Amino acid sequence: MTVAEKNEIVRQVLAALERETRIDLRRYPIRVDFNDGILTLEGETGDISAKKIGLELAAAIPGVEGIVDRLWVAPAVTMEDGEIRDHTCDALMQEGAFHGYTIRVLVKDAWETVRQGPAEATGLVDVEVRDGLVVLNGRVGSLSHKRLAGVLAWWVPGSRDIVNGLEVDPPEEDNDDEVRDAVRLVLEKDPFVNASQIKVSCRDFEVTLEGVVPKPLERDMAEADAWYVFRVEKVFNMLEVVE
């Protein structure tokens, strides 16, 4: 591929990002590099939807064979890594789904046990935070637990990105019903969203939200919750605001 062809792909990616109203390149510029079929996106986005949509638009450009994701979400509140780590651990320990799980954190390159589960328990969540990036590893008992742990980490206002490396033991086959149920669960747990008024459907890992909400902010928060769920590839927000 010639230099001119590479530059054309970069131009097409930037043009696609510029056309998307939910991506603000002026406030949050994104650096785009392209080499050997691999496109790298680097920078900060205003929210989770801008990050996920940007990655989807870039991947759809002809000639792009793979994506390196170096996009961070602008934090709602600036926090030190230790503070993010502590909030994430608190959320995990307060969530009933993780009752009995062992929770460990990485502090100064050494693992510390925050809570030790019973001897017969197999659940383990390791939490590591680097420059606002929360990395989750360990073992959980279901896909819903894996997804819920990731969302709880996203809900910490200082988090800039999540890498969810939790293994499901025993393994489960993922499908649209699993994703739909996980989104419903997350909406029900969000104290700022009235989940009873929201219908969730999922097809090919693309989620549709329908129903009514009282405020535009709640509409946006419900959409963000859906994007936070692991493996959700697209969100169609059909929620109506009825004040």
Side-chain angles (χ1 to χ4, degrees):
M1 181 176 289
T2 67
V3 172
E5 290 172 329
K6 293 180 180 179
N7 290 340
E8 174 59 19
I9 289 177
V10 170
R11 186 199 66 79
Q12 290 182 34
V13 171
L14 288 171
L17 298 177
E18 183 71 38
R19 287 192 298 268
E20 172 54 56
T21 58
R22 285 174 286 186
I23 298 176
D24 187 351
L25 292 181
R26 290 169 179 79
R27 184 176 180 184
Y28 300 103
I30 295 176
R31 179 184 174 188
V32 181
D33 290 322
F34 182 74
N35 286 291
D36 299 325
I38 305 301
L39 188 80
T40 301
L41 298 180
E42 185 172 3
E44 192 173 61
T45 62
D47 55 32
I48 184 64
S49 65
K51 171 184 168 72
K52 295 294 185 68
I53 292 170
L55 293 170
E56 178 191 7
L57 291 172
I61 300 299
V64 175
E65 300 173 4
I67 297 284
V68 175
D69 174 13
R70 293 179 181 167
L71 294 176
W72 301 78
V73 175
V77 177
T78 300
M79 290 183 175
E80 298 292 333
D81 286 349
E83 191 176 4
I84 296 171
R85 182 189 64 228
D86 292 346
H87 279 284
T88 301
C89 287
D90 288 344
L92 291 169
M93 289 191 292
Q94 292 171 15
E95 170 53 52
F98 302 110
H99 177 72
Y101 276 43
T102 295
I103 309 293
R104 302 192 307 178
V105 297
L106 188 65
V107 180
K108 296 181 179 180
D109 298 323
W111 287 103
E112 296 182 3
T113 299
V114 178
R115 182 179 69 192
Q116 179 64 54
E120 67 276 11
T122 59
L124 165 68
V125 180
D126 287 338
V127 180
E128 178 183 358
V129 184
R130 303 190 302 264
D131 298 326
L133 168 67
V134 180
V135 181
L136 302 177
N137 283 307
R139 301 178 305 277
V140 291
S142 67
L143 280 167
S144 63
H145 285 188
K146 175 185 176 80
R147 290 189 162 103
L148 180 57
V151 173
L152 292 176
W154 268 119
W155 278 350
V156 175
S159 298
R160 302 178 65 204
D161 200 6
I162 309 298
V163 173
N164 192 338
L166 291 167
E167 296 182 7
V168 179
D169 184 22
E172 294 179 354
E173 182 178 353
D174 210 351
N175 54 55
D176 288 338
D177 290 342
E178 287 283 350
V179 173
R180 180 199 62 210
D181 292 347
V183 174
R184 284 177 175 168
L185 175 65
V186 168
L187 293 174
E188 290 170 357
K189 289 185 175 293
D190 189 337
F192 302 105
V193 172
N194 184 0
S196 65
Q197 300 297 311
I198 299 176
K199 176 185 176 182
V200 181
S201 57
C202 182
R203 182 176 182 181
D204 297 329
F205 297 95
E206 297 180 354
V207 171
T208 299
L209 303 177
E210 299 175 281
V212 296
V213 292
K215 298 178 181 179
L217 179 59
E218 186 170 331
R219 182 180 189 272
D220 294 341
M221 294 177 74
E223 179 178 342
D225 284 345
W227 279 117
Y228 290 147
V229 173
F230 177 73
R231 282 209 70 185
V232 169
E233 297 181 359
K234 187 177 291 186
V235 178
F236 299 100
N237 192 345
M238 310 298 291
L239 295 171
E240 298 182 29
V241 178
V242 180
E243 300 183 9

